[in-house]
Amino acid sequence: MRLGLFGDIHGEPEKLEKVLLALQERGVSRSYFICLGDIVGDEIAENPAPTEKCIRMVKHNSTTSVQGNHDELALLAWKGYLSQEAVEFLSAMAPSIQAMDTLVIHD
């Protein structure tokens, strides 16, 4: 069993799609995908659609996600630009997770 770790997406769904595909091509099951945080893009106030798409993709493709500093900032400063579903997902992300024998933290 192999873990598929990915992060620093920053609202770029095309890049995220390539990473997820590369993990699957290398034999990593979606059951072992872990997002390391920073799903939210920097331009969320001007165009929240790419960030919303990335959040849906991560929600659908990873078993768990660590909250990154951009994700936390989005909840503090840009919450009004996000859907309720996106806010709930970002709010539920933990600052750290235990995956098998590994502690995962985004700092």
Side-chain angles (χ1 to χ4, degrees):
M1 149 183 37
R2 297 169 66 187
L3 292 176
L5 307 174
F6 61 93
D8 289 323
I9 299 158
H10 295 290
E12 297 188 50
E14 296 82 14
K15 290 184 180 179
L16 174 57
E17 192 171 332
K18 287 179 184 178
V19 168
L20 296 174
L21 183 59
L23 289 171
Q24 289 176 328
E25 287 173 349
R26 287 166 176 78
V28 181
S29 167
R30 274 191 3 200
S31 300
Y32 297 102
F33 285 5
I34 297 173
C35 178
L36 302 175
D38 281 357
I39 303 168
V40 174
D42 293 331
E43 299 173 2
I44 191 169
E46 292 83 24
N47 184 11
T51 289
E52 290 277 349
K53 184 173 183 177
C54 287
I55 290 170
R56 286 191 304 274
M57 291 170 71
V58 169
K59 186 176 179 179
H60 177 72
N61 285 289
S62 66
T63 55
T64 189
S65 301
V66 175
Q67 188 180 71
N69 55 309
H70 278 77
D71 307 318
E72 182 180 15
L73 178 62
L75 291 171
L76 298 172
W78 302 317
K79 192 175 185 176
Y81 297 100
L82 295 168
S83 67
Q84 184 62 33
E85 177 186 4
V87 169
E88 289 173 5
F89 182 78
L90 294 174
S91 297
M93 293 168 70
S96 66
I97 58 168
Q98 183 76 34
M100 292 189 259
D101 292 332
T102 305
L103 178 64
V104 180
I105 301 172
H106 181 109
D107 187 29

